[in-house]
Amino acid sequence: MPQYPSRVTEPANIADLERLAAERLEPGAHGYFAGGAGDERTLRRNADAFEGWELRPRVLVDVSEISTRATVLGAELEIPILVAPVAFQLLAHPDGERGMARAAAAAGTVLCLSSLTSTRPAEVAEAASGGKRWMQVYLFRDRGVTRAMIEEAAESGYEALLLTVDAPYAGRRERDLRSGFQVPAEIRAPAIEVAVGHRSLTTAEVFELVDPSITWEDLERLCDEFDLPILIKGLITGEDAALAVEHGAAGVVVSNHGGRQLDNAPATIDALPEVVEAVDGRIPVLLDGGVRRGTDVAVALALGAQAVLVGRPALWGLAWDGEAGTRRALEMLTEELRLALALLGAPNPSALSTDHVQRRA
Ligand SMILES: Cc1cc2nc3c(=O)[nH]c(=O)nc-3n(C[C@H](O)[C@H](O)[C@H](O)COP(=O)(O)O)c2cc1C
């Protein structure tokens, strides 16, 4: 394992940012952001599994010009790295979701806003009006609440929906159980509160609104009802990926919620090949979970993902230094990816293929 200095003031990589963020955050909030479900096997596995994939560089390829640009669902992005939906960002830094949105816009990528955003979707849109944004949604027991949330997002220029399907119930996050952490009362969930008719809700009450009875038929109904493309976020099997295509999904995000839901599920990077095979090019496949390096992004793209999302890396940047910190996180990943592409002999993301990766023996 590489040796890192124990105290870092100038971050060189995402691991440095993580340590700096841990110093800034109050312990309960840090546990909430950093933690996973159960024994945190899946949380650890997501990042560790990238070590199980090796890169196969090709040499004597002209890499004098490198582009990190990618097109995802018609959106032209500067980098194939999106910002994942992460709840309650005002808890990390006063810049909160506004800062995250501005940093994503500066990097030329998509901000995915959580339905547990602590800032109203319209205000996030205003704060980064030139940026691209997608809205993450849950299907609520009261379909009127889901509809109200989606309509507000559509009016505010959110161009796609991520329907999160791996959280019919909240995972068992034991760090929070031990610390007794609860989201402070001043941090609200306005997207949901507005959708339920301007009522205040505790986080537990919010989770009770989520409908655990949803099935693939509900996805079809949602696709019929709304014009926005709907990506399914939170599947990790080829079987579910095939069903997602059949039932009208515009894309899938291979995700296990950053290890926060079902513990002992496989790492997403190990699940990616079977999903790519099942989807067979019919819709875009994205991935999140454990991406901490530009070389991790390269592995995911080589295995067939069109783009990745990062949750905690962007969040550690935010916690460390607000909008500027998230910008820094995205810049570090971009520079690492640029160098990885150059050293792999792949001058742009679409030049990557399965020939550039192998399983470690
Ligand atoms: C603190 C925290 C809150 C999250 N909140 C949401 C959420 O509200 N909705 C959602 O779909 N995913 C949520 N996620 C999952 C992320 O969207 C993403 O799947 C995960 O963070 C990716 O793993 P990574 O953190 O290793 O990059 C959350 C993740 C974290 C760490």
Side-chain angles (χ1 to χ4, degrees):
M1 280 292 286
Q3 293 298 305
Y4 296 107
S6 60
R7 290 189 77 79
V8 178
T9 49
E10 193 49 40
N13 58 30
I14 299 297
D16 287 349
L17 272 184
E18 181 171 358
R19 276 183 287 277
L20 289 166
E23 285 170 18
R24 294 268 157 111
L25 288 167
E26 176 271 313
H30 177 259
Y32 169 72
F33 288 131
D39 293 315
E40 302 191 338
R41 291 178 184 165
T42 298
L43 172 69
R44 282 190 299 279
R45 240 172 237 171
N46 274 347
D48 291 351
F50 282 97
E51 290 195 29
W53 291 95
E54 295 174 334
L55 290 165
R56 299 182 71 240
R58 297 301 306 273
V59 296
L60 295 178
V61 176
D62 180 355
V63 288
S64 54
E65 306 236 342
I66 297 291
S67 165
T68 57
R69 292 213 180 107
T71 305
V72 181
L73 274 186
E76 288 177 20
L77 312 181
E78 290 299 317
I79 45 172
I81 305 169
L82 290 73
V83 175
V86 167
F88 302 123
Q89 294 171 11
L90 282 172
L91 189 63
H93 191 279
D95 286 359
E97 286 84 2
R98 288 185 187 82
M100 198 73 113
R102 289 198 200 99
T109 192
V110 172
L111 170 93
C112 301
L113 188 70
S114 164
S115 38
L116 295 175
T117 172
S118 46
T119 311
R120 252 184 104 153
E123 289 167 18
V124 178
E126 244 167 64
S129 51
K132 297 181 178 56
R133 45 193 174 273
W134 297 353
M135 182 82 201
Q136 178 263 319
V137 292
Y138 292 108
L139 206 54
F140 297 110
R141 292 175 202 265
D142 178 345
R143 297 295 191 264
V145 174
T146 317
R147 196 171 308 119
M149 187 185 271
I150 294 177
E151 279 166 4
E152 171 163 357
E155 274 163 29
S156 312
Y158 290 74
E159 292 169 319
L161 301 173
L162 291 170
L163 177 66
T164 298
V165 294
D166 57 9
Y169 300 96
R172 191 179 159 80
R173 322 258 167 83
E174 294 183 2
R175 293 196 206 200
D176 299 345
L177 296 177
R178 280 187 214 104
S179 69
F181 176 78
Q182 293 200 323
V183 178
E186 67 274 18
I187 308 274
R188 316 293 328 160
I192 296 175
E193 291 180 349
V194 169
V196 295
H198 296 269
R199 266 192 298 123
S200 1
L201 298 165
T202 63
T203 350
E205 285 169 335
V206 166
F207 265 103
E208 280 160 25
L209 300 176
V210 174
D211 186 350
S213 77
I214 89 163
T215 64
W216 293 106
E217 283 63 46
D218 294 293
L219 168 65
E220 266 181 32
R221 275 194 281 277
L222 216 55
C223 292
D224 288 344
E225 194 176 347
F226 297 98
D227 289 336
L228 297 178
I230 301 176
L231 294 94
I232 296 292
K233 174 176 183 282
L235 58 79
I236 51 166
T237 63
E239 297 93 301
D240 279 344
L243 285 167
V245 178
E246 264 171 46
H247 291 274
V252 292
V253 183
V254 178
S255 173
N256 52 34
H257 218 108
R260 295 166 75 79
Q261 287 298 113
L262 177 67
D263 197 25
N264 217 18
T268 50
I269 196 64
D270 291 337
L272 179 62
E274 70 171 72
V275 171
V276 168
E277 195 188 340
V279 167
D280 196 21
R282 291 175 288 172
I283 54 172
V285 176
L286 286 75
L287 167 138
D288 73 26
V291 174
R292 301 292 179 266
R293 286 286 190 184
T295 45
D296 298 342
V297 181
V299 167
L301 300 183
L303 287 173
Q306 261 191 23
V308 301
L309 291 74
V310 289
R312 295 183 186 81
L315 188 73
W316 300 143
L318 186 75
W320 170 56
D321 197 18
E323 175 190 339
T326 299
R327 280 185 188 228
R328 191 62 188 284
L330 294 173
E331 279 163 13
M332 290 192 299
L333 289 170
T334 304
E335 285 319 306
E336 288 180 9
L337 174 62
R338 186 181 295 283
L339 183 60
L341 290 173
L343 299 182
L344 274 163
N348 56 67
S350 46
L352 286 170
S353 74
T354 46
D355 293 342
H356 290 100
V357 279
Q358 67 189 17
R359 270 216 183 265
R360 194 170 152 189

